[in-house]
Amino acid sequence: LVQLVESGGSSVQSGGSLRLSCEGTDPSWSSYCLAWFRQVSGKEREGVAVLGIDEKATYVDSVKGRFTISRGTNKHTVYLDMNNLIPEDTAMYYCAAVPLHCPPPLNIMSSAWYHAWGQGTQVTVSS
């Protein structure tokens, strides 16, 4: 199973930007559906962005137009570029992956469908 390691979390002020990175150890990393989730203590893990092997990206409504998910040119890294951050974006952010095809559209933001997870990186946005 692919190992995932996130980095890039930090504390920023509202309106700021951050780039989260997630590196995968599997040589066939480019053949995974990749996703970013976030979780606030006491709440369920929420899907934020998903990137298929066809490079099709899907976003939760609350981040559309502000966040961008992409693969690195070396294909071993997936990024989450976050702009115009707001306090409601404060959470632990997790990278997730599932081999080959992304879950069906109705389940694409469901954490239960993803097989591999990173340890998380904290993002804190202050007003």
Side-chain angles (χ1 to χ4, degrees), residues 11-106:
S11 296
V12 297
Q13 290 195 328
S14 185
S17 299
L18 280 176
R19 166 173 268 199
L20 304 183
S21 301
C22 173
E23 288 201 37
T25 58
D26 192 324
S28 61
W29 178 238
S30 61
S31 298
Y32 281 78
C33 172
L34 305 172
W36 285 96
F37 285 76
R38 64 188 180 187
Q39 188 170 24
V40 175
S41 180
K43 294 189 176 182
E44 288 190 6
R45 195 165 291 190
E46 175 191 37
V48 175
V50 180
L51 186 65
I53 57 176
D54 58 358
E55 300 298 309
K56 178 182 177 183
T58 304
Y59 300 93
V60 69
D61 286 346
S62 61
V63 307
K64 284 180 180 178
R66 301 189 299 121
F67 290 12
T68 303
I69 186 172
S70 62
R71 289 180 203 267
T73 53
N74 65 6
K75 303 298 184 184
H76 292 296
T77 307
V78 61
Y79 300 106
L80 185 68
D81 288 297
M82 306 187 295
N83 297 309
N84 296 320
L85 285 161
I86 59 177
E88 290 76 14
D89 294 320
T90 295
M92 184 72 78
Y93 283 71
Y94 297 91
C95 177
V98 60
L100 295 179
H101 301 293
C102 290
L106 287 178

